[in-house]
Amino acid sequence: MLGELRCECLNRVQRAARSLGACGASTVGAEMNIKMEFTIEHTWDDLPVSHKPVTIGLKSYDGGLLMVVNAPFFNDPPAPLGEPGKPFRNLWDYEVVEAFFLNDRTEQYLEVELCPHGQHLLLLLSGKRRVWKEELPLKFEVTRMETKWEGKAHLPWNYFPPCTNKFNAFAIHGSGDQRKYEALHPVPRCELQEGQKPDFHRLEFFKELNLKRLMGEDWKQPETVFKVSGQDLTDRRNASSTIFKKEEEVCSQQEGLLLLLAMLYDQ
């Protein structure tokens, strides 16, 4: 009996330790400073990485989330030609760390791309790979050393989809056949298909993100630019569906008329 109680206590301690590992808490004075930390330990296809892993921290700040990246600096490929601190298109072709914040019901998501050379790229998507806004402004600071770098991005709440509840993160570096793609939540080995390539928009493999663990149980997510634009997209889809149905009705009427003419011709 005593052994069973000890075992149960040990299990509880281990579960608590794992929970704190994902959402650490430290006290400074009378204030509680809570953050989430994620470690990218696998390649996109679920193999261990061969270097010190990338870490991503999330914590609240006035008006949004502070995303802190700590990563090895490979300097491969060389720096993009764009100005540091500014958006840069196709940043995914360079050395970059990415984070995706998803509403899995609507498939609306925010994609954040951060480069150790100071460039960034933010995209809002409504539907898988369907970009409707990009190159959003961002406050982003980089501290770069010889073998590592740290980036701090201030993500305002209005960039996030309503009811954000899923998350994934990625890191890319290298050139040519030495290009490496790494994922926080990779594609499981059992799900891989022959000839499959890295795809960071496999939304079904994203995992839960509970922002109330950062913000408090009574917190409500602020208004977002997704709300209106998402409704506009829904209205356009409904309009397209109505047009398609009308076209089907016209085609059906034409087929009926042709059949009637054929019958009259036979007579």
Side-chain angles (χ1 to χ4, degrees):
M1 183 68 175
L2 184 59
E4 291 178 357
L5 287 173
R6 286 176 178 169
C7 184
E8 176 60 24
C9 288
L10 180 60
N11 288 338
R12 290 183 181 181
V13 169
Q14 289 172 337
R15 286 197 294 270
R18 285 194 295 269
S19 176
L20 283 174
C23 184
S26 59
T27 305
V28 180
E31 297 183 358
M32 185 70 77
N33 182 22
I34 302 175
K35 69 175 181 179
M36 290 179 174
E37 189 167 278
F38 305 91
T39 305
I40 301 177
E41 298 178 323
H42 294 86
T43 62
W44 73 274
D45 52 354
D46 206 14
L47 295 174
V49 299
S50 58
H51 56 80
K52 186 175 181 179
V54 174
T55 64
I56 296 174
L58 299 177
K59 62 187 298 184
S60 65
Y61 90 102
D62 186 25
L65 284 185
L66 177 65
M67 175 177 162
V68 181
V69 172
N70 283 280
F73 178 49
F74 298 95
N75 200 23
D76 182 19
L81 297 179
E83 180 183 350
K86 299 292 185 182
F88 187 85
R89 288 198 171 191
N90 300 332
L91 192 60
W92 54 80
D93 289 332
Y94 295 85
E95 184 174 349
V96 70
V97 172
E98 305 184 3
F100 289 60
F101 299 85
L102 168 71
N103 176 331
D104 68 342
R105 185 180 61 82
T106 63
E107 290 194 346
Q108 295 174 329
Y109 53 110
L110 163 65
E111 179 178 342
V112 181
E113 302 186 16
L114 305 176
C115 177
H117 299 284
Q119 297 82 2
H120 56 78
L121 181 63
L122 267 64
L123 304 98
L124 306 183
L125 300 94
S126 190
K128 189 181 292 189
R129 299 188 191 85
R130 296 180 58 177
V131 177
W132 62 271
K133 193 176 285 290
E134 59 184 325
E135 298 186 38
L136 282 77
L138 177 68
K139 183 181 178 183
F140 176 46
E141 306 113 28
V142 171
T143 302
R144 192 174 66 249
M145 288 153 275
E146 186 177 352
T147 60
K148 62 183 180 179
W149 66 282
E150 180 183 74
K152 295 181 179 180
H154 299 257
L155 307 174
W157 284 125
N158 65 326
Y159 287 178
F160 289 77
C163 303
T164 300
N165 65 342
K166 293 289 181 72
F167 178 73
N168 209 348
F170 307 93
I172 314 172
H173 68 271
S175 303
D177 58 3
Q178 296 301 309
R179 189 82 166 148
K180 306 296 183 187
Y181 301 87
E182 302 165 359
L184 175 65
H185 303 305
V187 178
R189 301 292 296 172
C190 59
E191 298 279 349
L192 291 172
Q193 305 291 325
E194 186 176 355
Q196 186 172 332
K197 305 253 189 234
D199 182 357
F200 293 172
H201 297 267
R202 296 291 299 273
L203 307 183
E204 66 270 29
F205 297 121
F206 286 32
K207 302 295 184 185
E208 180 183 0
L209 178 71
N210 184 359
L211 291 173
K212 289 190 175 184
R213 294 177 65 186
L214 284 177
M215 309 304 298
E217 288 301 317
D218 296 329
W219 174 77
K220 296 188 184 305
Q221 187 172 331
E223 290 292 319
T224 167
V225 295
F226 271 101
K227 193 168 186 180
V228 173
S229 298
Q231 184 62 49
D232 290 344
L233 285 169
T234 300
D235 291 343
R236 284 200 291 272
R237 290 192 194 104
N238 290 339
S240 298
S241 178
T242 301
I243 293 170
F244 182 70
K245 286 178 181 177
K246 287 182 178 179
E247 289 175 346
E248 284 188 320
E249 291 173 1
V250 170
C251 288
S252 179
Q253 292 171 357
Q254 290 175 341
E255 289 174 357
L257 181 59
L258 289 172
L259 181 60
L260 178 60
L261 289 173
M263 291 173 60
L264 291 173
Y265 182 81
D266 289 341
Q267 292 177 356

